[in-house]
């Protein structure tokens, strides 16, 4: 076997391993997306400019948009100016404090309440790259 033959064989093996690895990554991402979209809790990931990087079906349904339409959306694209300012202030507080916040707040629909968890997103960095928000409708628990 020549050096060229050995190089070709090594490249083929590496290509096969990458294909298997990519298939496994796709499978895992599919499972994670199913989990995120199955939960009734709203999940939103925003960047430092408060634009949506990721959200789930529960949040998209609440604001009357599709997940795809919400990618890159600003707070004022789906909140009133007052609500957007309140969310932005809480996001800044989470980023500046570098820690998780828990609170109960009025929901977007009148008469509803959400239990909300906000935490900084680090995404492999030592500095926050955004925020993660998980909100659960707790209206029925308040009755």
């Amino acid at each position: 076997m020549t050096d060229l033959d050995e190089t070709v064989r090594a490249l083929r093996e590496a290509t096969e391993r990458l294909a298997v690895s990519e298939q496994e990554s796709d499978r895992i991402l599919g499972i994670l997306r199913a989990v995120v979209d199955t939960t009734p809790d709203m999940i939103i990931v925003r960047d430092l400019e408060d634009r949506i990087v990721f959200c789930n079906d529960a949040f998209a349904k609440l604001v009357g948009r599709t997940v795809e339409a919400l990618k890159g959306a600003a707070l004022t694209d789906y909140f009133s100016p007052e609500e957007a300012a309140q969310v932005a202030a809480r996001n800044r507080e989470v980023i500046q404090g570098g820690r998780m916040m828990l609170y109960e707040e009025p929901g977007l629909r009148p008469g509803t309440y959400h239990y909300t968890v906000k935490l900084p997103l680090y995404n492999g960095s030592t500095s926050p790259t955004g925020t993660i928000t998980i909100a659960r409708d707790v209206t029925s628990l308040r009755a």
Side-chain angles (χ1 to χ4, degrees):
M1 185 177 273
T2 69
D3 285 344
L4 180 59
D5 290 336
E6 201 164 306
T7 301
V8 168
R9 183 185 60 76
L11 286 171
R12 281 188 182 136
E13 288 175 3
T15 301
E16 288 170 9
R17 283 194 305 274
L18 284 173
V20 169
S21 178
E22 187 175 327
Q23 289 171 350
E24 182 65 5
S25 292
D26 289 346
R27 185 183 76 78
I28 291 169
L29 284 173
I31 291 169
L32 287 173
R33 186 77 223 191
V35 168
V36 165
D37 285 335
T38 300
T39 182
D41 295 346
M42 293 160 278
I43 301 171
I44 311 103
V45 177
R46 295 184 182 94
D47 63 19
L48 293 174
E49 287 76 42
D50 277 327
R51 295 196 173 276
I52 291 181
V53 175
F54 176 90
C55 69
N56 69 344
D57 286 342
F59 179 72
K61 182 178 178 183
L62 180 72
V63 297
R65 306 268 179 87
T66 64
V67 168
E68 294 77 24
L70 286 167
K71 286 182 184 164
L75 291 170
T76 53
D77 291 340
Y78 50 90
F79 286 136
S80 71
E82 296 80 20
E83 292 165 331
Q86 182 181 21
V87 170
R90 286 197 170 144
N91 288 346
R92 278 192 307 277
E93 189 175 346
V94 166
I95 294 294
Q96 290 168 355
R99 61 179 169 70
M100 178 173 60
M101 289 179 54
L102 308 167
Y103 48 91
E104 191 172 316
E105 63 185 344
L108 290 176
R109 287 174 290 183
T112 63
Y113 295 89
H114 294 157
Y115 184 75
T116 302
V117 178
K118 274 189 189 288
L119 51 147
L121 173 68
Y122 288 96
N123 202 15
S125 173
T126 56
S127 299
T129 58
T131 58
I132 302 169
T133 302
I134 302 171
R136 173 172 288 180
D137 187 332
V138 293
T139 306
S140 64
L141 301 176
R142 293 178 58 111

